[in-house]
Amino acid sequence: MNSSKRARTDDDIASSVKGSGTLSNGKGKVSKHQQLPPQSSDKALAQAKQAHGLDGPADRGCNIMVYHPDVELRLNDVVEVMGVYSLSPDLADEFASVGLAEGTMPFAETLAQQHPSSLVSELHCLRVRRINPYEMCRALPDPSLSQRIAALRTKAIDVLAVPLGGDRLAAEYLLLQLVSRVYTRAASKPLGVFSLSLQNCPEAAVAPDTLSSSAPDAGARASPTAAPLSCFGAAVKEAVASLVPACVALPLTVDMLNSEPLRPHTVRKTTTVDSLMTTPLQLAAHTQLLLDATLMQAGQLERRGIYNLQVLGTLMQQQEVEYEYAVYNLPLPSDVPVTILTMGKSLLHKAVDLELPLNTTGLISEAPVDDDSLPAIRAYLHQAQQLDFHIDVESASWINQELMDARQELGNSENSFHNQLTLGRLMAVSWGETSMTKERWYQMKAMERARLNRLNVTRPTATQNAEKVVAAYCG
């Protein structure tokens, strides 16, 4: 953007505050304001911090000031920035001591427009470029990895199997999610990803390290991302986050669904603020989203809760999130695989592509992979995810015959065919292959048979094994 179009600097704001006890509205006009009680100022500051996604006193956002007109940036891009960092913490007291008279712009809106660096720092950009998220963890493709793919694939499954109670089948499905991506869309349906629901998860207690370390700011509502996870959910998140650049875990509870809108939106009840409120579903591409429903309790879903469920269902089925601006709603494509951790049927079961009951062995050990191996595993996942996969004419012929035979024998639906094609593709790329082979197709079918058998068979030792898993996580 052009620097001449930018709102006044913090120095300008501080000058007007110190000199006359007034705040400029950014258009050359100055209004007189009366001071509000400290409680009102604290509430306004908390609302402004919430608008920037700052949940706690130690949280800070950053406004990146781009002055290059030829730089094309899109919403939710991951970027690398080099620039000059600016922060003015002394302005916090100045803004807290200034109130607004009735009928003027609300204090929170003023802070949202002016972006004071007392709350949100500034980075004046000298150089910016879009990057692949895997570049953040220095996991770039390496030609030598092709000789070690089998070993790295096994190590990745080992890491994922640990929090899943040793269930390697569930770990393999989760691995296929980690190498998935939306490679195209057909009739608004995303191709290349699937949603997964892991059932029979242990009913674990709240993980101590996910509890908020401080009380929410005055006037601020609890953030869904600040709510605690279960011990099981925290363990799964830790394992996934060790392998991919971005992993977000949300507790899928009645309180979370009723708390705040999950989709991004502008500041409520105003048309003067053009910045988006930070919400849990404003995610970069290839972010792994975990929904921890193991802490779900009985409760009443309010209107907002029902709507949030619909937003999550749309993300899972269409890989799309609707952004709510002041005068219109804008649906934007996403690329965010979703995994639900639940003890039984999920509230989102109709939007789930694949359901898999866990078969925990109760044998929990330390992570079998040392930290030195993690960069190679990440590089393997990145390389597999970016492979240019295709199905040649010969392969298409026998795959079509396989699907026809399955329909005659089992009466499979169109969704089942779609899921099998997706899983077959992901099975191949997880082995570093760019075309379908019968070996990988039959390997995928064996996985699907094992999954369907679990859905049809009740294991009598599942509860006992789950109790062992809980004891291992929570002590």
Side-chain angles (χ1 to χ4, degrees), residues 202 204-205 207 210 229-238 249 290 292 294 341 473:
T210 65
L229 302 172
S230 68
C231 293
F232 178 75
V236 175
K237 178 190 176 182
E238 182 180 1
L290 301 177
D292 182 5
T294 59
L341 309 176
Y473 291 143

Side-chain angles (χ1 to χ4, degrees), residues 185-208:
R185 294 176 183 265
S188 73
K189 185 174 182 62
L191 302 181
V193 297
F194 67 95
S195 55
L196 177 65
S197 175
L198 296 179
Q199 302 175 352
N200 291 352
C201 294
E203 183 180 5
V206 173

Side-chain angles (χ1 to χ4, degrees), residues 2 25 76 86 104 113 146 174 176 208 231 262 275 293 301 310 316 319 325 329 339 409-410 414 427 449 463 468 470:
N2 191 302
N25 63 6
N76 300 333
S86 173
T104 63
Q113 284 186 320
S146 58
L174 195 52
L176 297 188
C231 293
L262 293 181
S275 60
L301 276 180
Q310 295 173 346
M316 294 166 63
Q319 281 298 312
Y325 290 91
N329 295 337
T339 297
E409 296 174 6
L410 304 175
E414 181 179 346
M427 179 64 73
R449 281 195 296 270
T463 302
K468 296 178 181 179
V470 173

Side-chain angles (χ1 to χ4, degrees), residues 41-297:
S41 297
D42 292 341
K43 182 177 180 180
L45 284 170
Q47 291 173 345
K49 293 183 70 175
Q50 185 185 24
H52 295 291
L54 310 179
D55 297 323
D59 291 339
R60 286 196 179 276
C62 183
N63 288 324
I64 300 176
M65 317 306 291
V66 180
Y67 303 96
H68 306 83
D70 57 335
V71 176
E72 181 183 352
L73 298 178
R74 299 176 182 175
L75 192 64
N76 300 333
D77 276 348
V78 179
V79 297
E80 180 184 72
V81 178
M82 180 179 68
V84 179
Y85 183 77
S86 173
L87 177 65
S88 302
D90 57 307
L91 290 182
D93 294 336
E94 300 290 350
F95 273 86
S97 65
V98 177
L100 299 181
E102 184 178 356
T104 63
M105 184 181 297
F107 190 31
E109 292 186 25
T110 301
L111 295 180
Q113 284 186 320
Q114 300 292 355
H115 299 300
S117 60
S118 57
L119 294 178
V120 182
S121 57
E122 290 183 350
L123 183 61
H124 299 271
C125 177
L126 300 177
R127 178 178 178 272
V128 59
R129 70 182 183 97
R130 286 188 294 185
I131 64 173
N132 186 290
Y134 274 94
E135 292 186 52
M136 296 187 297
C137 52
R138 300 178 181 178
L140 298 178
D142 184 353
S144 65
L145 290 178
S146 58
Q147 303 173 1
R148 298 184 291 154
I149 282 183
L152 293 173
R153 188 180 189 276
T154 299
K155 288 184 178 181
I157 293 176
D158 291 341
V159 173
L160 297 172
V162 170
L164 298 176
D167 190 338
R168 297 186 67 83
L169 179 62
E172 186 147 7
Y173 273 98
L174 195 52
L175 171 69
L176 297 188
Q177 266 203 333
L178 299 188
V179 299
S180 67
R181 65 181 174 90
V182 178
Y183 65 90
T184 189
R185 294 176 183 265
S188 73
K189 185 174 182 62
L191 302 181
V193 297
F194 67 95
S195 55
L196 177 65
S197 175
L198 296 179
Q199 302 175 352
N200 291 352
C201 294
E203 183 180 5
V206 173
D209 56 349
T210 65
L211 291 172
S212 177
S213 57
S214 59
D217 293 326
R221 300 186 66 171
S223 168
T225 54
L229 302 172
S230 68
C231 293
F232 178 75
V236 175
K237 178 190 176 182
E238 182 180 1
V240 174
S242 69
L243 301 181
V244 297
C247 177
V248 172
L250 299 176
L252 192 62
T253 63
V254 173
D255 289 341
M256 186 278 281
L257 292 170
N258 289 337
S259 62
E260 291 291 340
L262 293 181
R263 71 174 183 177
H265 57 85
T266 54
V267 177
R268 299 293 185 183
K269 298 181 181 179
T270 177
T271 59
T272 61
V273 177
D274 57 1
S275 60
L276 284 171
M277 295 279 286
T278 301
T279 63
L281 294 188
Q282 189 176 352
L283 301 172
H286 313 310
T287 298
Q288 184 73 24
L289 179 59
L290 301 177
L291 300 178
D292 182 5
T294 59
L295 295 177
M296 177 70 74
Q297 300 291 333

